[in-house]
Amino acid sequence: MKSLRSVGALFALSIFMVTPVSLAQDFKSSAQSAASKWDEAFNKGDASQLAKMYGSQAALLPPGSAPVVDEQNIQQFWKTTIGKGFGQHKVTVQQAETKGDMGYAYGRWQATGPGDGGAKKQFEGNWSNVLERQGGEWKTVLHSWN
């Protein structure tokens, strides 16, 4: 009987040890799925759809520029960026974690854009997002990249 309790205790302990990893993996998978939808909207040139992926009072922190806040301004920012010839955007999530209704994700991005003499140029860098669960969905509330 004592060994049965020990096995039960070990099983219960293993669930507690695995569950946070499983939850982190689930959130990482959710973050990658959301990033893929973001890429799809960007690559279609759908700035309106991009803006809807951000939460209320979200902020973009573009490199070398002032923060961009408000859904209309975020939509205009992406419309302008896409209009300059950026496309073939791809995001890879390297890490994602949650705590309650807040989470973060970060990874690498790449895209093509205008280069010298009109040729396409490859751009890439790091990105990070802070996410918040709003209305049952994860929305980006802070987006930064370099």
Side-chain angles (χ1 to χ4, degrees):
M1 189 69 162
K2 185 175 180 180
S3 68
L4 185 57
R5 272 190 243 149
S6 296
V7 170
L10 285 173
F11 177 72
L13 180 59
S14 69
I15 288 173
F16 287 114
M17 291 172 62
V18 171
T19 300
V21 172
S22 297
L23 292 175
Q25 283 300 98
D26 288 346
F27 183 66
K28 184 177 178 185
S29 295
S30 295
Q32 184 61 65
S33 177
S36 295
K37 289 177 184 171
W38 195 96
D39 285 338
E40 184 179 328
F42 186 94
N43 293 330
K44 285 182 180 177
D46 192 343
S48 175
Q49 184 62 35
L50 288 172
K52 291 175 186 173
M53 295 181 191
Y54 293 87
S56 58
Q57 301 179 354
L60 302 179
L61 302 176
S65 298
V68 178
V69 297
D70 181 88
E71 185 176 339
Q72 289 180 340
N73 293 333
I74 290 171
Q75 181 176 341
Q76 186 59 48
F77 176 86
W78 291 123
K79 182 178 180 180
T80 300
T81 300
I82 293 165
K84 290 178 180 177
F86 287 92
Q88 298 178 346
H89 199 280
K90 179 163 176 34
V91 170
T92 303
V93 175
Q94 293 177 324
Q95 182 69 28
E97 305 248 349
T98 62
K99 186 168 187 171
D101 286 341
M102 298 295 292
Y104 73 87
Y106 66 83
R108 299 283 299 161
W109 67 270
Q110 61 186 35
T112 59
D116 295 332
K120 289 285 184 183
K121 178 180 175 182
Q122 184 73 29
F123 294 87
E124 61 182 52
N126 299 304
W127 64 271
S128 64
N129 283 1
V130 175
L131 301 108
E132 180 178 35
R133 193 183 334 253
Q134 295 180 359
E137 293 182 281
W138 287 103
K139 301 279 190 163
T140 297
V141 293
L142 185 63
H143 181 175
S144 179
W145 65 97
N146 65 7

